[in-house]
Amino acid sequence: GAGVSQSPSNKVTEKGKDVELRCDPISGHTALYWYRQSLGQGLEFLIYFQGNSAPDKSGLPSDRFSAERTGGSVSTLTIQRTQQEDSAVYLCASSLTGGLFAEAFFGQGTRLTVV
Amino acid sequence: AQSVTQLGSHVSVSEGALVLLRCNYSSSVPPYLFWYVQYPNQGLQLLLKYTTGATLVKGINGFEAEFKKSETSFHLTKPSAHMSDAAEYFCAVSGGGATNKLIFGTGTLLAVQP
């Protein structure tokens, strides 16, 4: 597609439920990032993929969070047993190579609300 | 460890006035610095970046930023604000490395008054 696509755009879930957030990167982009944007907290790095591998998972806040990427393309971020503090906007970005001079393009995000 | 501090979570200027958004960074390696803009209900868009070379960097929409190593700063400026500049602005730092992940500041919401 023309840009990074994320779905759903909004998700309301009950505390304790599992949720899956999807990211479709720009075709041909090998690098993919997940960030979390919370009110007053800026953007927090979660995980980085290069192809289907995740060499940097250092930002995942707990073992309830996991992510995978298949076919070097679509990525899914899964949050198990959601908590209210998980409420945030989850942003996905992709870049051509992940190298320093490769611009990261962001999707519009998924707004997650845990009630 | 790298970090970014943006002074002023909210900045308000009049249309036509100078825009100055402040960013200070901390990095143990030569930093690569970025400014992103986020318009309402949209994703982040790269405004400009500094990697190496000229310390005054020009970006889109008339914005520019100057890398000052001695002050560990990368402030964003625009000589004359336009109503369409109203958005949230994020400063970010990267040390490159294997992942080139970005470390973001908490953002500055710019309001432009008519």
Side-chain angles (χ1 to χ4, degrees):
Chain A
V4 178
S5 177
Q6 292 187 245
S7 60
S9 54
N10 281 283
K11 176 73 176 179
V12 180
T13 190
E14 292 181 352
K15 178 181 173 181
K17 300 285 189 183
D18 297 352
V19 295
E20 286 189 352
L21 312 180
R22 177 186 169 106
C23 173
D24 277 280
I26 293 172
S27 178
H29 281 195
T30 64
L32 187 146
Y33 305 80
W34 282 98
Y35 291 86
R36 179 168 71 173
Q37 185 176 16
S38 304
L39 193 61
Q41 299 295 316
L43 285 90
E44 172 189 6
F45 168 79
L46 298 178
I47 187 169
Y48 161 72
F49 286 93
Q50 179 58 249
N52 292 337
S53 301
D56 189 347
K57 306 178 183 180
S58 62
L60 295 178
S62 76
D63 58 8
R64 296 187 295 105
F65 287 73
S66 63
E68 66 175 10
R69 189 178 183 194
T70 56
S73 181
V74 173
S75 176
T76 302
L77 177 68
T78 301
I79 308 173
Q80 296 178 307
R81 305 181 303 281
T82 52
Q83 304 294 313
Q84 288 186 332
E85 61 262 29
D86 300 334
S87 296
V89 176
Y90 290 82
L91 292 168
C92 176
S94 71
S95 73
L96 188 59
T97 63
L100 179 61
F101 298 104
E103 179 181 345
F105 294 85
F106 283 79
Q108 295 187 6
T110 293
R111 181 176 298 277
L112 176 67
T113 303
V114 182
V115 298
Chain B
Q2 296 170 302
S3 66
V4 170
T5 301
Q6 291 185 241
L7 293 176
S9 58
H10 291 77
V11 170
S12 182
V13 300
S14 298
E15 192 173 19
L18 171 71
V19 175
L20 171 60
L21 305 182
R22 298 178 185 276
C23 173
N24 288 86
Y25 69 89
S26 173
S27 178
S28 57
V29 297
Y32 303 115
L33 297 157
F34 306 79
W35 275 99
Y36 280 83
V37 61
Q38 186 177 34
Y39 297 103
N41 300 316
Q42 294 188 28
L44 276 75
Q45 179 182 2
L46 181 66
L47 267 180
L48 49 80
K49 64 183 179 185
Y50 168 79
T51 53
T52 59
T55 56
L56 181 63
V57 180
K58 295 186 185 298
I60 62 172
N61 301 338
F63 284 93
E64 61 183 36
E66 186 172 10
F67 170 62
K68 292 187 176 181
K69 184 178 179 180
S70 61
E71 299 178 7
T72 61
S73 69
F74 191 57
H75 301 331
L76 181 71
T77 60
K78 182 174 180 178
S80 177
H82 192 273
M83 297 296 288
S84 61
D85 295 327
E88 190 157 22
Y89 293 79
F90 292 91
C91 182
V93 64
S94 169
T99 68
N100 198 29
K101 66 187 178 189
L102 296 168
I103 306 300
F104 286 89
T106 52
T108 297
L109 187 62
L110 176 67
V112 181
Q113 308 299 329

